[in-house]
Amino acid sequence: MSGTEIEHLIRLIARLPGLGPRSARRAVLTLLKRRDQLLKPLIDTMIDVASKVKTCSVCGNYDSVDPCTICTDINRNFSIVCVVEDVASLWAMERSRLFRGCYHVLGGVLSALDGVGPNDLTIDSLVVRAESIIVNEVILAMAATVDGQTTAHYLVDRLSECHVSISCLAQGVPIGGELDYLDDGTIGVALRARQPFI
Amino acid sequence: MSGTEIEHLIRLIARLPGLGPRSARRAVLTLLKRRDQLLKPLIDTMIDVASKVKTCSVCGNYDSVDPCTICTDINRNFSIVCVVEDVASLWAMERSRLFRGCYHVLGGVLSALDGVGPNDLTIDSLVVRAESIIVNEVILAMAATVDGQTTAHYLVDRLSECHVSISCLAQGVPIGGELDYLDDGTIGVALRARQPFI
């Protein structure tokens, strides 16, 4: 191909999730074609992000201020802490615009296979937060996977002394889900957790 | 979400081909998680590319030198010019490692729908190159689409006075292609262009 810089950029872009060498090449060609509209703004924004964005020392969210805008928003209810696996889950919760409490980012889930133990996650600081008199409910919003649910059970154990009520997200048929396409596990869960029709 | 810089970066990355808002969010989270290994090298390489990479004045390829490394490679055969639609096609030809001539990037194909006429492409400079005594063959490596083939026919017309032999890529069954999955057009072309079995 042409130019070691170009090849280097393709290799770096191909390391982003969801991109392979082919889509990285397309991305680089688009960047080269649209230097002023795309490549230069992208460089400037990346420099901005690299220098300004930090991890919130309270909840673990990414923001340009510490504590983050969520942790300092006086319209939020700081008595409810929603525990999420990672910042991606936090952003997903925020997009739903339904939760007005605050968050705690664990930084992953317990996983024997990947060698992730309790000390690799921010569990101690969660317990400290749950012990404070401000907090009275902890919502466990882990993924409905084996590792996610194992982590949730472990957290329930660890939070048992904290005098907070602990809840978790409901499991069942997702909105728009057709029974024919759902796995047996989901149907079983939805059946066991059936609710009176309103 | 959190931080205007982050949202701005997500919007910019979502403008790359093949990426939507969802994959852009994942990409940004990966960049934030791996600042030193990915975000900072990416910034440096992008700055490098933005400042160094230019369009080759001879063939239209992207490279950090002008004329590009292909146009100045003495091991190449400058009597054969392969005409390609864009730099992506040039890179695809180079990956095959079979062509040892030089290139001419048209910058697109004629398209009535998209309003691309002969003056929007580098056809005049192709004719000038074909008129030089060095060049004796022009290979038309356009896509096997309606616009690509229209462009090829137009180029044959324009090059008719240039005393160069003009060829085009063979059309037929692609390697690994099963007849059952091929369209009628391809089967028809492959049948008409059938060759003696060696």
Side-chain angles (χ1 to χ4, degrees):
Chain A
M1 222 174 299
S2 46
T4 45
E5 297 88 8
I6 298 182
E7 281 175 40
H8 192 199
L9 185 57
I10 292 173
R11 269 198 301 276
L12 283 172
I13 289 186
R15 282 164 61 188
L16 291 174
L19 285 156
R22 192 190 184 82
S23 38
R25 276 197 301 270
R26 283 183 62 204
V28 169
L29 281 170
T30 306
L31 288 172
L32 282 168
K33 255 184 232 159
R34 308 180 58 202
R35 283 178 200 224
D36 293 329
Q37 306 98 306
L38 198 51
L39 180 55
K40 282 170 190 170
L42 198 55
I43 292 172
D44 295 340
T45 316
M46 278 185 168
I47 292 173
D48 236 30
V49 163
S51 64
K52 288 187 191 162
V53 173
K54 32 195 166 282
T55 303
C56 171
S57 56
V58 179
C59 72
N61 187 17
Y62 289 127
D63 205 336
S64 41
V65 286
D66 180 23
C68 72
T69 40
I70 295 175
C71 289
T72 50
D73 182 350
I74 49 161
N75 294 316
R76 287 194 170 250
N77 182 353
F78 294 111
S79 67
I80 309 178
V81 175
C82 176
V83 183
V84 286
E85 239 174 270
D86 48 26
V87 179
S89 309
L90 191 160
W91 289 358
M93 291 288 294
E94 281 298 284
R95 280 199 300 280
S96 76
R97 294 171 190 276
L98 289 168
F99 180 66
R100 299 300 299 163
C102 59
Y103 294 94
H104 188 89
V105 178
L106 273 190
V109 283
L110 298 175
S111 167
L113 263 172
D114 298 333
V116 181
N119 293 330
D120 300 314
L121 308 178
T122 59
I123 295 176
D124 291 337
S125 65
L126 173 65
V127 174
V128 171
R129 287 182 77 182
E131 275 166 348
S132 97
I133 46 161
I134 310 165
V135 177
N136 56 40
E137 183 177 356
V138 171
I139 302 174
L140 302 178
M142 332 308 310
T145 56
V146 173
D147 286 344
Q149 296 307 302
T150 310
T151 311
H153 280 106
Y154 179 82
L155 290 179
V156 170
D157 252 21
R158 288 287 303 271
L159 294 169
S160 57
E161 309 281 292
C162 292
H163 307 292
V164 285
S165 67
I166 302 172
S167 58
C168 64
L169 294 186
Q171 295 186 339
V173 181
I175 303 303
E178 292 184 42
L179 290 195
D180 195 18
Y181 292 96
L182 284 177
D183 60 304
D184 300 350
T186 303
I187 293 182
V189 156
L191 201 58
R192 279 194 300 277
R194 65 188 178 278
Q195 294 181 337
F197 196 89
I198 325 158
Chain B
M1 223 176 295
S2 46
T4 45
E5 297 87 5
I6 298 181
E7 282 175 41
H8 192 196
L9 184 56
I10 291 172
R11 269 200 300 276
L12 282 172
I13 289 186
R15 283 164 59 189
L16 291 174
L19 285 155
R22 192 189 185 83
S23 39
R25 278 198 300 271
R26 282 183 62 206
V28 169
L29 281 170
T30 306
L31 287 172
L32 283 167
K33 254 184 232 158
R34 308 181 57 203
R35 285 179 199 225
D36 293 328
Q37 307 98 306
L38 197 51
L39 179 56
K40 281 170 191 170
L42 197 54
I43 292 172
D44 295 339
T45 316
M46 278 184 169
I47 291 174
D48 236 29
V49 163
S51 65
K52 288 188 193 161
V53 173
K54 33 195 165 281
T55 304
C56 171
S57 55
V58 179
C59 72
N61 187 17
Y62 289 127
D63 205 335
S64 42
V65 285
D66 179 22
C68 73
T69 39
I70 295 176
C71 289
T72 51
D73 182 349
I74 48 160
N75 294 315
R76 286 193 172 250
N77 182 353
F78 294 112
S79 66
I80 308 178
V81 175
C82 176
V83 183
V84 287
E85 240 174 270
D86 47 27
V87 179
S89 309
L90 191 160
W91 289 358
M93 290 287 296
E94 281 297 285
R95 282 199 299 282
S96 76
R97 293 172 193 274
L98 289 169
F99 180 65
R100 300 299 299 163
C102 59
Y103 294 95
H104 188 89
V105 178
L106 272 191
V109 282
L110 297 175
S111 165
L113 262 171
D114 298 333
V116 181
N119 293 329
D120 300 315
L121 308 177
T122 61
I123 295 177
D124 291 336
S125 65
L126 172 65
V127 173
V128 171
R129 287 181 78 183
E131 276 167 348
S132 96
I133 46 162
I134 310 165
V135 177
N136 55 40
E137 183 177 356
V138 171
I139 302 175
L140 302 178
M142 333 308 309
T145 56
V146 173
D147 285 346
Q149 295 308 302
T150 308
T151 311
H153 280 105
Y154 179 82
L155 290 179
V156 169
D157 252 21
R158 288 288 301 269
L159 294 168
S160 57
E161 309 282 294
C162 292
H163 307 292
V164 286
S165 67
I166 303 172
S167 57
C168 66
L169 295 185
Q171 296 187 339
V173 181
I175 303 302
E178 293 184 42
L179 289 195
D180 196 17
Y181 291 96
L182 284 178
D183 59 303
D184 301 348
T186 303
I187 292 182
V189 155
L191 201 58
R192 279 195 299 277
R194 66 189 178 278
Q195 294 181 337
F197 197 88
I198 325 157

